[in-house]
mmCIF file of all heavy atoms in Angstrom:
data_model
loop_
_atom_site.group_PDB
_atom_site.id
_atom_site.type_symbol
_atom_site.label_atom_id
_atom_site.label_comp_id
_atom_site.label_asym_id
_atom_site.label_seq_id
_atom_site.Cartn_x
_atom_site.Cartn_y
_atom_site.Cartn_z
ATOM 1 N N SER A 662 -27.078 -0.011 8.370
ATOM 2 C CA SER A 662 -27.410 1.385 8.693
ATOM 3 C C SER A 662 -27.265 2.286 7.472
ATOM 4 O O SER A 662 -28.079 3.176 7.252
ATOM 5 C CB SER A 662 -26.516 1.899 9.825
ATOM 6 O OG SER A 662 -26.688 1.142 10.997
ATOM 7 N N ASN A 663 -26.230 2.039 6.685
ATOM 8 C CA ASN A 663 -26.035 2.813 5.460
ATOM 9 C C ASN A 663 -27.232 2.679 4.524
ATOM 10 O O ASN A 663 -27.681 3.658 3.913
ATOM 11 C CB ASN A 663 -24.769 2.352 4.719
ATOM 12 C CG ASN A 663 -23.491 2.771 5.389
ATOM 13 O OD1 ASN A 663 -22.414 2.336 4.990
ATOM 14 N ND2 ASN A 663 -23.560 3.596 6.424
ATOM 15 N N GLU A 664 -27.760 1.475 4.408
ATOM 16 C CA GLU A 664 -28.908 1.261 3.545
ATOM 17 C C GLU A 664 -30.129 2.028 4.046
ATOM 18 O O GLU A 664 -30.860 2.638 3.255
ATOM 19 C CB GLU A 664 -29.223 -0.240 3.469
ATOM 20 C CG GLU A 664 -28.126 -1.056 2.796
ATOM 21 C CD GLU A 664 -28.416 -2.543 2.734
ATOM 22 O OE1 GLU A 664 -29.517 -2.954 3.181
ATOM 23 O OE2 GLU A 664 -27.573 -3.291 2.223
ATOM 24 N N LEU A 665 -30.322 2.026 5.360
ATOM 25 C CA LEU A 665 -31.455 2.763 5.939
ATOM 26 C C LEU A 665 -31.292 4.266 5.754
ATOM 27 O O LEU A 665 -32.244 4.972 5.395
ATOM 28 C CB LEU A 665 -31.577 2.418 7.421
ATOM 29 C CG LEU A 665 -31.885 0.950 7.768
ATOM 30 C CD1 LEU A 665 -31.792 0.746 9.274
ATOM 31 C CD2 LEU A 665 -33.253 0.545 7.251
ATOM 32 N N MET A 666 -30.086 4.761 6.016
ATOM 33 C CA MET A 666 -29.821 6.196 5.868
ATOM 34 C C MET A 666 -30.016 6.631 4.420
ATOM 35 O O MET A 666 -30.592 7.682 4.141
ATOM 36 C CB MET A 666 -28.397 6.505 6.333
ATOM 37 C CG MET A 666 -28.166 6.276 7.826
ATOM 38 S SD MET A 666 -26.402 6.139 8.249
ATOM 39 C CE MET A 666 -25.852 7.832 7.986
ATOM 40 N N ALA A 667 -29.536 5.794 3.502
ATOM 41 C CA ALA A 667 -29.659 6.119 2.067
ATOM 42 C C ALA A 667 -31.118 6.188 1.647
ATOM 43 O O ALA A 667 -31.508 7.068 0.867
ATOM 44 C CB ALA A 667 -28.911 5.074 1.239
ATOM 45 N N HIS A 668 -31.941 5.286 2.187
ATOM 46 C CA HIS A 668 -33.359 5.332 1.828
ATOM 47 C C HIS A 668 -34.018 6.622 2.313
ATOM 48 O O HIS A 668 -34.841 7.216 1.606
ATOM 49 C CB HIS A 668 -34.127 4.129 2.389
ATOM 50 C CG HIS A 668 -35.571 4.165 2.013
ATOM 51 N ND1 HIS A 668 -36.552 4.680 2.844
ATOM 52 C CD2 HIS A 668 -36.202 3.823 0.854
ATOM 53 C CE1 HIS A 668 -37.719 4.631 2.220
ATOM 54 N NE2 HIS A 668 -37.542 4.115 1.026
ATOM 55 N N VAL A 669 -33.661 7.050 3.498
ATOM 56 C CA VAL A 669 -34.220 8.307 4.034
ATOM 57 C C VAL A 669 -33.925 9.462 3.078
ATOM 58 O O VAL A 669 -34.826 10.261 2.746
ATOM 59 C CB VAL A 669 -33.650 8.610 5.436
ATOM 60 C CG1 VAL A 669 -34.019 10.019 5.873
ATOM 61 C CG2 VAL A 669 -34.165 7.595 6.456
ATOM 62 N N TYR A 670 -32.677 9.559 2.617
ATOM 63 C CA TYR A 670 -32.293 10.673 1.747
ATOM 64 C C TYR A 670 -32.940 10.539 0.366
ATOM 65 O O TYR A 670 -33.294 11.534 -0.273
ATOM 66 C CB TYR A 670 -30.770 10.769 1.642
ATOM 67 C CG TYR A 670 -30.199 11.626 2.762
ATOM 68 C CD1 TYR A 670 -30.218 11.180 4.077
ATOM 69 C CD2 TYR A 670 -29.681 12.888 2.508
ATOM 70 C CE1 TYR A 670 -29.743 11.949 5.107
ATOM 71 C CE2 TYR A 670 -29.190 13.679 3.530
ATOM 72 C CZ TYR A 670 -29.225 13.206 4.829
ATOM 73 O OH TYR A 670 -28.748 14.005 5.849
ATOM 74 N N SER A 671 -33.102 9.315 -0.091
ATOM 75 C CA SER A 671 -33.793 9.106 -1.358
ATOM 76 C C SER A 671 -35.261 9.509 -1.240
ATOM 77 O O SER A 671 -35.810 10.172 -2.140
ATOM 78 C CB SER A 671 -33.682 7.620 -1.751
ATOM 79 O OG SER A 671 -34.302 7.386 -2.988
ATOM 80 N N HIS A 672 -35.886 9.136 -0.127
ATOM 81 C CA HIS A 672 -37.307 9.440 0.098
ATOM 82 C C HIS A 672 -37.553 10.934 0.314
ATOM 83 O O HIS A 672 -38.460 11.524 -0.293
ATOM 84 C CB HIS A 672 -37.795 8.643 1.303
ATOM 85 C CG HIS A 672 -39.184 9.008 1.748
ATOM 86 N ND1 HIS A 672 -40.312 8.641 1.035
ATOM 87 C CD2 HIS A 672 -39.618 9.711 2.832
ATOM 88 C CE1 HIS A 672 -41.384 9.113 1.659
ATOM 89 N NE2 HIS A 672 -40.992 9.757 2.748
ATOM 90 N N LEU A 673 -36.745 11.557 1.164
ATOM 91 C CA LEU A 673 -36.974 12.956 1.515
ATOM 92 C C LEU A 673 -36.532 13.930 0.429
ATOM 93 O O LEU A 673 -37.184 14.949 0.193
ATOM 94 C CB LEU A 673 -36.238 13.299 2.814
ATOM 95 C CG LEU A 673 -36.758 12.672 4.108
ATOM 96 C CD1 LEU A 673 -35.873 13.092 5.272
ATOM 97 C CD2 LEU A 673 -38.212 13.078 4.375
ATOM 98 N N TYR A 674 -35.439 13.610 -0.251
ATOM 99 C CA TYR A 674 -34.826 14.585 -1.149
ATOM 100 C C TYR A 674 -34.761 14.116 -2.601
ATOM 101 O O TYR A 674 -34.100 14.746 -3.427
ATOM 102 C CB TYR A 674 -33.418 14.939 -0.654
ATOM 103 C CG TYR A 674 -33.418 15.307 0.813
ATOM 104 C CD1 TYR A 674 -32.743 14.522 1.747
ATOM 105 C CD2 TYR A 674 -34.133 16.416 1.281
ATOM 106 C CE1 TYR A 674 -32.765 14.843 3.100
ATOM 107 C CE2 TYR A 674 -34.161 16.744 2.628
ATOM 108 C CZ TYR A 674 -33.475 15.950 3.535
ATOM 109 O OH TYR A 674 -33.512 16.261 4.875
ATOM 110 N N ASN A 675 -35.447 12.980 -2.884
ATOM 111 C CA ASN A 675 -35.503 12.455 -4.253
ATOM 112 C C ASN A 675 -34.103 12.195 -4.818
ATOM 113 O O ASN A 675 -33.857 12.385 -6.016
ATOM 114 C CB ASN A 675 -36.270 13.411 -5.166
ATOM 115 C CG ASN A 675 -36.836 12.699 -6.382
ATOM 116 O OD1 ASN A 675 -37.280 11.558 -6.289
ATOM 117 N ND2 ASN A 675 -36.809 13.370 -7.525
ATOM 118 N N LEU A 676 -33.188 11.763 -3.963
ATOM 119 C CA LEU A 676 -31.824 11.449 -4.370
ATOM 120 C C LEU A 676 -31.776 10.008 -4.898
ATOM 121 O O LEU A 676 -32.055 9.068 -4.153
ATOM 122 C CB LEU A 676 -30.864 11.603 -3.187
ATOM 123 C CG LEU A 676 -29.419 11.158 -3.404
ATOM 124 C CD1 LEU A 676 -28.725 12.072 -4.416
ATOM 125 C CD2 LEU A 676 -28.656 11.148 -2.071
ATOM 126 N N PRO A 677 -31.454 9.801 -6.185
ATOM 127 C CA PRO A 677 -31.326 8.433 -6.692
ATOM 128 C C PRO A 677 -30.153 7.718 -6.015
ATOM 129 O O PRO A 677 -29.008 8.205 -6.068
ATOM 130 C CB PRO A 677 -31.067 8.624 -8.186
ATOM 131 C CG PRO A 677 -31.600 9.997 -8.496
ATOM 132 C CD PRO A 677 -31.304 10.806 -7.261
ATOM 133 N N VAL A 678 -30.422 6.594 -5.382
ATOM 134 C CA VAL A 678 -29.421 5.884 -4.594
ATOM 135 C C VAL A 678 -29.496 4.383 -4.894
ATOM 136 O O VAL A 678 -30.572 3.795 -4.918
ATOM 137 C CB VAL A 678 -29.637 6.088 -3.076
ATOM 138 C CG1 VAL A 678 -28.599 5.324 -2.282
ATOM 139 C CG2 VAL A 678 -29.585 7.564 -2.716
ATOM 140 N N THR A 679 -28.325 3.783 -5.096
ATOM 141 C CA THR A 679 -28.246 2.331 -5.270
ATOM 142 C C THR A 679 -27.210 1.754 -4.314
ATOM 143 O O THR A 679 -26.068 2.227 -4.299
ATOM 144 C CB THR A 679 -27.862 1.949 -6.714
ATOM 145 O OG1 THR A 679 -28.788 2.550 -7.623
ATOM 146 C CG2 THR A 679 -27.866 0.434 -6.882
ATOM 147 N N GLY A 680 -27.611 0.752 -3.535
ATOM 148 C CA GLY A 680 -26.691 0.059 -2.646
ATOM 149 C C GLY A 680 -26.320 -1.293 -3.219
ATOM 150 O O GLY A 680 -27.174 -2.019 -3.748
ATOM 151 N N LEU A 681 -25.043 -1.637 -3.146
ATOM 152 C CA LEU A 681 -24.534 -2.890 -3.709
ATOM 153 C C LEU A 681 -23.975 -3.771 -2.598
ATOM 154 O O LEU A 681 -23.018 -3.390 -1.927
ATOM 155 C CB LEU A 681 -23.450 -2.599 -4.745
ATOM 156 C CG LEU A 681 -23.884 -1.719 -5.928
ATOM 157 C CD1 LEU A 681 -22.687 -1.400 -6.816
ATOM 158 C CD2 LEU A 681 -24.981 -2.406 -6.725
ATOM 159 N N ARG A 682 -24.576 -4.930 -2.431
ATOM 160 C CA ARG A 682 -24.085 -5.890 -1.438
ATOM 161 C C ARG A 682 -23.057 -6.797 -2.104
ATOM 162 O O ARG A 682 -23.398 -7.724 -2.835
ATOM 163 C CB ARG A 682 -25.254 -6.704 -0.869
ATOM 164 C CG ARG A 682 -26.226 -5.859 -0.061
ATOM 165 C CD ARG A 682 -27.447 -6.664 0.366
ATOM 166 N NE ARG A 682 -28.356 -5.846 1.179
ATOM 167 C CZ ARG A 682 -29.605 -6.200 1.478
ATOM 168 N NH1 ARG A 682 -30.106 -7.355 1.035
ATOM 169 N NH2 ARG A 682 -30.362 -5.409 2.223
ATOM 170 N N PHE A 683 -21.787 -6.506 -1.850
ATOM 171 C CA PHE A 683 -20.715 -7.293 -2.437
ATOM 172 C C PHE A 683 -20.537 -8.621 -1.686
ATOM 173 O O PHE A 683 -20.583 -8.664 -0.460
ATOM 174 C CB PHE A 683 -19.393 -6.525 -2.370
ATOM 175 C CG PHE A 683 -19.382 -5.246 -3.176
ATOM 176 C CD1 PHE A 683 -18.946 -4.060 -2.615
ATOM 177 C CD2 PHE A 683 -19.803 -5.238 -4.487
ATOM 178 C CE1 PHE A 683 -18.924 -2.886 -3.345
ATOM 179 C CE2 PHE A 683 -19.790 -4.062 -5.233
ATOM 180 C CZ PHE A 683 -19.342 -2.885 -4.660
ATOM 181 N N PHE A 684 -20.295 -9.680 -2.462
ATOM 182 C CA PHE A 684 -20.054 -11.001 -1.895
ATOM 183 C C PHE A 684 -18.593 -11.404 -2.132
ATOM 184 O O PHE A 684 -18.196 -11.716 -3.239
ATOM 185 C CB PHE A 684 -20.990 -12.024 -2.540
ATOM 186 C CG PHE A 684 -22.385 -12.034 -1.969
ATOM 187 C CD1 PHE A 684 -23.244 -10.962 -2.217
ATOM 188 C CD2 PHE A 684 -22.831 -13.082 -1.201
ATOM 189 C CE1 PHE A 684 -24.542 -10.958 -1.691
ATOM 190 C CE2 PHE A 684 -24.121 -13.086 -0.662
ATOM 191 C CZ PHE A 684 -24.974 -12.022 -0.906
ATOM 192 N N THR A 685 -17.792 -11.363 -1.078
ATOM 193 C CA THR A 685 -16.406 -11.855 -1.040
ATOM 194 C C THR A 685 -15.637 -11.571 -2.330
ATOM 195 O O THR A 685 -15.315 -12.483 -3.099
ATOM 196 C CB THR A 685 -16.367 -13.371 -0.724
ATOM 197 O OG1 THR A 685 -17.311 -13.662 0.315
ATOM 198 C CG2 THR A 685 -14.975 -13.773 -0.254
ATOM 199 N N ALA A 686 -15.356 -10.295 -2.565
ATOM 200 C CA ALA A 686 -14.566 -9.892 -3.726
ATOM 201 C C ALA A 686 -13.119 -10.374 -3.577
ATOM 202 O O ALA A 686 -12.546 -10.337 -2.489
ATOM 203 C CB ALA A 686 -14.592 -8.372 -3.870
ATOM 204 N N TYR A 687 -12.538 -10.838 -4.682
ATOM 205 C CA TYR A 687 -11.148 -11.291 -4.664
ATOM 206 C C TYR A 687 -10.515 -11.057 -6.027
ATOM 207 O O TYR A 687 -11.219 -10.849 -7.028
ATOM 208 C CB TYR A 687 -11.061 -12.775 -4.284
ATOM 209 C CG TYR A 687 -11.469 -13.717 -5.402
ATOM 210 C CD1 TYR A 687 -10.520 -14.366 -6.178
ATOM 211 C CD2 TYR A 687 -12.814 -13.935 -5.709
ATOM 212 C CE1 TYR A 687 -10.895 -15.202 -7.219
ATOM 213 C CE2 TYR A 687 -13.192 -14.771 -6.744
ATOM 214 C CZ TYR A 687 -12.228 -15.411 -7.503
ATOM 215 O OH TYR A 687 -12.592 -16.226 -8.536
ATOM 216 N N GLY A 688 -9.184 -11.093 -6.067
ATOM 217 C CA GLY A 688 -8.473 -10.930 -7.330
ATOM 218 C C GLY A 688 -7.176 -10.175 -7.135
ATOM 219 O O GLY A 688 -6.782 -9.857 -5.996
ATOM 220 N N PRO A 689 -6.457 -9.866 -8.229
ATOM 221 C CA PRO A 689 -5.191 -9.125 -8.141
ATOM 222 C C PRO A 689 -5.344 -7.808 -7.395
ATOM 223 O O PRO A 689 -6.381 -7.150 -7.496
ATOM 224 C CB PRO A 689 -4.842 -8.889 -9.619
ATOM 225 C CG PRO A 689 -5.515 -10.001 -10.357
ATOM 226 C CD PRO A 689 -6.791 -10.262 -9.615
ATOM 227 N N TRP A 690 -4.343 -7.448 -6.642
ATOM 228 C CA TRP A 690 -4.327 -6.230 -5.829
ATOM 229 C C TRP A 690 -5.309 -6.310 -4.650
ATOM 230 O O TRP A 690 -5.704 -5.314 -4.095
ATOM 231 C CB TRP A 690 -4.603 -4.971 -6.656
ATOM 232 C CG TRP A 690 -3.568 -4.698 -7.702
ATOM 233 C CD1 TRP A 690 -3.610 -5.060 -9.015
ATOM 234 C CD2 TRP A 690 -2.314 -4.034 -7.517
ATOM 235 N NE1 TRP A 690 -2.476 -4.647 -9.666
ATOM 236 C CE2 TRP A 690 -1.665 -4.011 -8.767
ATOM 237 C CE3 TRP A 690 -1.677 -3.431 -6.421
ATOM 238 C CZ2 TRP A 690 -0.401 -3.435 -8.958
ATOM 239 C CZ3 TRP A 690 -0.438 -2.851 -6.610
ATOM 240 C CH2 TRP A 690 0.182 -2.855 -7.866
ATOM 241 N N GLY A 691 -5.689 -7.542 -4.285
ATOM 242 C CA GLY A 691 -6.683 -7.741 -3.233
ATOM 243 C C GLY A 691 -6.197 -7.387 -1.845
ATOM 244 O O GLY A 691 -5.026 -7.062 -1.630
ATOM 245 N N ARG A 692 -7.109 -7.469 -0.876
ATOM 246 C CA ARG A 692 -6.814 -7.078 0.502
ATOM 247 C C ARG A 692 -6.042 -8.161 1.251
ATOM 248 O O ARG A 692 -6.412 -9.330 1.221
ATOM 249 C CB ARG A 692 -8.122 -6.792 1.247
ATOM 250 C CG ARG A 692 -8.683 -5.425 0.980
ATOM 251 C CD ARG A 692 -10.076 -5.247 1.526
ATOM 252 N NE ARG A 692 -10.324 -5.896 2.803
ATOM 253 C CZ ARG A 692 -11.543 -6.132 3.289
ATOM 254 N NH1 ARG A 692 -12.615 -5.774 2.577
ATOM 255 N NH2 ARG A 692 -11.703 -6.727 4.453
ATOM 256 N N PRO A 693 -4.980 -7.775 1.970
ATOM 257 C CA PRO A 693 -4.177 -8.746 2.715
ATOM 258 C C PRO A 693 -4.901 -9.393 3.886
ATOM 259 O O PRO A 693 -4.413 -10.388 4.417
ATOM 260 C CB PRO A 693 -2.993 -7.901 3.223
ATOM 261 C CG PRO A 693 -2.944 -6.699 2.371
ATOM 262 C CD PRO A 693 -4.372 -6.434 1.982
ATOM 263 N N ASP A 694 -6.043 -8.839 4.309
ATOM 264 C CA ASP A 694 -6.787 -9.434 5.422
ATOM 265 C C ASP A 694 -7.808 -10.459 4.959
ATOM 266 O O ASP A 694 -8.494 -11.068 5.777
ATOM 267 C CB ASP A 694 -7.481 -8.344 6.243
ATOM 268 C CG ASP A 694 -8.527 -7.584 5.432
ATOM 269 O OD1 ASP A 694 -8.257 -7.273 4.254
ATOM 270 O OD2 ASP A 694 -9.606 -7.279 5.976
ATOM 271 N N MET A 695 -7.921 -10.667 3.645
ATOM 272 C CA MET A 695 -8.894 -11.617 3.101
ATOM 273 C C MET A 695 -8.263 -12.997 2.923
ATOM 274 O O MET A 695 -7.046 -13.136 2.793
ATOM 275 C CB MET A 695 -9.443 -11.095 1.775
ATOM 276 C CG MET A 695 -10.171 -9.766 1.880
ATOM 277 S SD MET A 695 -11.753 -9.910 2.757
ATOM 278 C CE MET A 695 -12.791 -10.556 1.448
ATOM 279 N N ALA A 696 -9.123 -14.016 2.878
ATOM 280 C CA ALA A 696 -8.652 -15.410 2.911
ATOM 281 C C ALA A 696 -7.653 -15.726 1.799
ATOM 282 O O ALA A 696 -6.619 -16.360 2.064
ATOM 283 C CB ALA A 696 -9.863 -16.350 2.815
#
């Protein structure tokens, strides 16, 4: 939904928008709910 909403605002208002699909980020200070 965020991607769709962002496209609407980019199209209607010429707002430069980039969406990033993160794939299983991990490392120091990571989230306790992750594997």
